[in-house]
Amino acid sequence: MSDRPKRLSPEARQEALAVLAGWKLVEGREAISRRFVFRDFSEAFGWMSRVALLAEKMDHHPEWSNVYKTVEVTLATHDAGGLTELDIRMARAMDAMAG
Amino acid sequence: MSDRPKRLSPEARQEALAVLAGWKLVEGREAISRRFVFRDFSEAFGWMSRVALLAEKMDHHPEWSNVYKTVEVTLATHDAGGLTELDIRMARAMDAMAG
């Protein structure tokens, strides 16, 4: 395993969030979240499956919940006690896969 | 689409829950929930994928959240405003697939 990324500075965090449309900081916790809404369950779970493959490859896993066509995602890096570059990369990949 | 199942009577609900080890009634809501803990994310998401295929086939979808190797599931039948035979069948199938 390579070194885990370091926590982002407040400046880096703001900068990253500024270009991540739809993502917001979680209140009371150094994490970001976004709600994805798809057409139906098939589309939602299809997207989750693609994300799961990437998560396993990155060894960086989301916290997420799914109700039919909606997926709520929270990203944070537990090892680092906050947000890191891994979360930003995952958020960007999720956005890209949601199309 | 076939007719949707009717809400279970309180007696039928108790009877079904009595044989569903690990499942409990959700407080303040006519729904059942269970926490599944797997070895790792791969096993957890593998199980979710099998459940998703069944859910789509049954046209009956769980509410669930996943954090790494843990999956929290809530089952209810929205159309019926409570628990139906569909939820019991889904709970049994989830148990069986979790092995």
Side-chain angles (χ1 to χ4, degrees):
Chain A
M1 299 264 276
S2 59
D3 286 340
R4 306 297 289 183
K6 299 275 189 306
R7 261 176 86 190
L8 295 176
S9 68
E11 295 72 28
R13 199 192 309 156
Q14 281 312 324
E15 210 171 295
L17 265 176
V19 291
L20 280 175
W23 292 85
K24 57 179 174 26
L25 279 170
V26 175
E27 229 179 83
R29 187 177 162 202
E30 194 177 306
I32 54 174
S33 70
R34 183 179 169 184
R35 170 182 297 190
F36 292 88
V37 181
F38 299 91
R39 249 189 316 229
D40 51 27
F41 177 76
S42 171
E43 205 180 84
F45 200 82
W47 176 83
M48 288 177 77
S49 301
R50 291 191 66 197
V51 170
L53 296 177
L54 176 66
E56 194 67 356
K57 194 168 171 181
M58 284 174 66
D59 192 21
H60 189 58
H61 303 85
E63 304 169 30
W64 48 4
S65 63
N66 159 243
V67 179
Y68 197 57
K69 66 179 180 176
T70 301
V71 185
E72 304 262 8
V73 178
T74 298
L75 299 176
T77 305
H78 299 107
D79 299 357
L83 284 168
T84 69
E85 189 53 42
L86 280 179
D87 301 303
I88 307 305
R89 276 169 50 202
M90 177 59 84
R92 281 204 201 102
M94 284 179 160
D95 285 352
M97 288 190 220
Chain B
M1 297 265 275
S2 58
D3 286 341
R4 306 297 290 181
K6 300 275 191 303
R7 259 176 87 190
L8 295 177
S9 68
E11 294 73 26
R13 200 193 306 155
Q14 281 312 323
E15 209 172 296
L17 265 175
V19 291
L20 279 175
W23 291 85
K24 56 178 176 27
L25 280 170
V26 175
E27 229 179 84
R29 187 178 161 199
E30 194 177 307
I32 53 175
S33 70
R34 181 177 170 186
R35 170 182 297 189
F36 292 87
V37 181
F38 299 91
R39 249 190 317 231
D40 52 26
F41 177 76
S42 170
E43 205 181 83
F45 200 83
W47 175 82
M48 289 178 75
S49 300
R50 291 192 65 197
V51 170
L53 295 177
L54 176 67
E56 195 66 356
K57 195 168 168 181
M58 284 175 66
D59 192 21
H60 188 58
H61 304 86
E63 303 169 31
W64 49 4
S65 63
N66 159 243
V67 180
Y68 197 56
K69 65 179 181 177
T70 301
V71 185
E72 305 262 8
V73 178
T74 298
L75 299 176
T77 305
H78 299 108
D79 299 358
L83 286 168
T84 68
E85 188 53 41
L86 280 179
D87 301 302
I88 307 305
R89 276 169 50 201
M90 177 59 84
R92 281 203 202 103
M94 284 178 160
D95 286 350
M97 288 190 220

